[in-house]
Amino acid sequence: MAGRRHNRYSGIGGQAVLEGVMMKNKEKYAVAVRRPDGGISVEVNNYPGVLCGRRIKDIPFIRGIFNFIDSLILGTRCLNFSASFYEEEEGDGSKKGGMGDRLMTTLVTCFSVLLAVGIFIVLPYFLAAQLNGFLRNKSLTAIIEGVLRIVIFILYIWGISAMKDIRRLYRYHGAEHKCINCIEKGRPLTPANAMRSSRLHRRCGTSFIFFVFFISIILFFFIRVENPLWRVGLRILLMPVVAGISYEIIRLAGRSDNILVRLISAPGMAIQRMSTKEPDRQMVEVAIASVEAVFNWRAYLMENFGYTEEELQPEEKWSESDSEEQDDI
């Protein structure tokens, strides 16, 4: 079993949604939702992305921009799908769909981007600019602006956790990570194994956003433009560049386990302790349903960790074996 202790990249990623989890493997994704009646509904679909498989999506530093756009679009679509189960309880029982649903997804995505730009780019710049009368050092002002951006991000994550629905969303976020960590640690994906896996993961979107803000401190440090409107405009225009760099870092973090990767991942992992919470067994079961709809974890374990079909049957055999304290990634 010693060879089964090392993490192996699986390629799957996900997102928490309302009372559920979305998992994506290549172009295939699944949304599993715990219905109000207690059952689990799973929708499986394909999402090829905005560029539909064109080669530009494989170019380093450029692919991160389009992956970020795809994450926004697909994430909004999955959130709308999960919300529809609870709207049915209050409405006429009909699900949304078609052109109206796609239009709403587009509008919500655009509004979310504009709101994020206002809160995390314009607001920190405005607050730091108020110090110009006290600080003559523009380099120091740029650093303060970047620190404010990170502080606002942390306060935002902490502040919305006061909402009941967001707290449950954070628990499903934890369930998503636990399932991925369980598989990548080389454990059969059972509720018991997933529950004792870590709720933190290096490829998390929370860590990605932290890298975006950290890289922006370095990049914006060298921008020297006197006109305030140009300074704000350049910050907005350069965000795709920052996202592209950040994606390469988070991609490396998901595939490596050396000391340098652990060090640069540590701040994002620390923030994840706020954006993820411990799920219950039922939440983990929803996440497992989403994983199994798009990913053959048994074949993955046999190929990467040397399991045999006999070892993976029956699953209950592994629920309590190889026990240890919860992982700390």
Side-chain angles (χ1 to χ4, degrees):
M1 296 293 291
R4 296 174 182 171
R5 297 296 187 188
H6 301 289
N7 284 20
R8 304 289 174 85
Y9 175 72
S10 65
I12 59 173
Q15 172 187 314
V17 298
L18 181 63
E19 293 300 324
V21 172
M22 181 274 286
M23 288 289 186
K24 188 172 185 291
N25 180 28
K26 298 179 181 177
E27 293 184 356
K28 190 176 183 182
Y29 73 92
V31 189
V33 177
R34 179 73 71 179
R35 300 191 307 268
D37 64 9
I40 300 176
S41 285
V42 181
E43 180 186 68
V44 182
N45 215 324
N46 285 336
Y47 179 70
V50 293
L51 293 183
C52 300
R54 295 179 184 173
R55 290 185 178 180
I56 192 173
K57 290 192 69 173
D58 297 324
I59 300 176
F61 300 103
I62 294 179
R63 59 191 171 192
I65 300 170
F66 295 102
N67 271 279
F68 179 64
I69 294 171
D70 287 339
S71 296
L72 286 174
I73 296 172
L74 182 58
T76 304
R77 181 183 299 178
C78 294
L79 281 169
N80 290 340
F81 171 78
S82 63
S84 68
F85 286 93
Y86 293 85
E87 291 169 357
E88 289 174 26
E89 294 293 298
E90 302 172 1
D92 58 6
S94 61
K95 280 190 180 183
K96 295 180 180 180
M99 184 63 70
D101 193 27
R102 289 194 292 272
L103 177 60
M104 181 57 68
T105 298
T106 302
L107 292 174
V108 170
T109 302
C110 292
F111 176 76
S112 300
V113 171
L114 290 174
L115 187 63
V117 167
I119 294 176
F120 300 118
I121 297 180
V122 178
L123 179 59
Y125 170 78
F126 174 78
L127 293 176
Q130 305 309 304
L131 300 175
N132 286 337
F134 305 95
L135 299 175
R136 298 299 180 184
N137 190 320
K138 292 184 178 181
S139 297
L140 181 58
T141 303
I143 294 174
I144 292 174
E145 177 190 342
V147 172
L148 283 173
R149 190 169 286 115
I150 294 175
V151 170
I152 290 172
F153 174 58
I154 293 173
L155 290 176
Y156 172 79
I157 291 176
W158 174 77
I160 63 175
S161 67
M163 302 167 61
K164 180 181 177 181
D165 288 342
I166 297 298
R167 286 200 302 272
R168 288 191 63 81
L169 190 73
Y170 284 177
R171 295 181 73 187
Y172 276 105
H173 191 192
E176 171 221 330
H177 285 184
K178 281 176 175 287
C179 287
I180 297 175
N181 279 323
C182 179
I183 294 168
E184 294 185 341
K185 275 284 188 179
R187 300 188 182 120
L189 187 58
T190 64
N193 283 341
M195 285 293 288
R196 64 188 178 87
S197 297
S198 174
R199 74 175 197 265
L200 311 179
H201 197 281
R202 293 197 191 115
R203 287 187 286 116
C204 175
T206 303
S207 293
F208 170 76
I209 295 174
F210 170 80
F211 281 129
V212 166
F213 293 153
F214 180 75
I215 296 298
S216 71
I217 294 177
I218 300 173
L219 189 62
F220 297 162
F221 180 85
F222 296 100
I223 295 178
R224 292 290 184 266
V225 181
E226 293 301 323
N227 188 295
L229 290 178
W230 271 107
R231 284 202 294 268
V232 174
L234 282 174
R235 279 157 171 72
I236 296 172
L237 290 174
L238 286 173
M239 287 313 294
V241 177
V242 176
I245 297 172
S246 302
Y247 176 80
E248 297 304 320
I249 297 175
I250 205 78
R251 192 172 185 270
L252 173 66
R255 289 167 168 77
S256 303
D257 196 35
N258 58 54
I259 185 63
L260 177 60
V261 167
R262 286 179 172 268
L263 286 174
I264 64 176
S265 299
M269 301 286 279
I271 298 174
Q272 282 183 52
R273 294 188 180 278
M274 290 191 294
S275 66
T276 63
K277 301 297 179 185
E278 284 297 321
D280 58 30
R281 187 184 180 95
Q282 287 189 329
M283 292 174 175
V284 165
E285 289 172 353
V286 173
I288 290 175
S290 184
V291 171
E292 293 186 329
V294 296
F295 186 76
N296 187 342
W297 59 264
R298 291 177 179 82
Y300 167 82
L301 291 184
M302 287 189 286
E303 179 181 351
N304 291 278
F305 293 91
Y307 282 96
T308 64
E309 290 188 31
E310 291 75 18
E311 286 181 302
L312 296 175
Q313 297 294 335
E315 294 178 39
E316 289 78 11
K317 165 184 176 181
W318 295 94
S319 295
E320 303 298 335
S321 64
D322 193 27
S323 61
E324 60 185 62
E325 293 298 318
Q326 189 182 98
D327 299 331
D328 188 10
I329 301 299

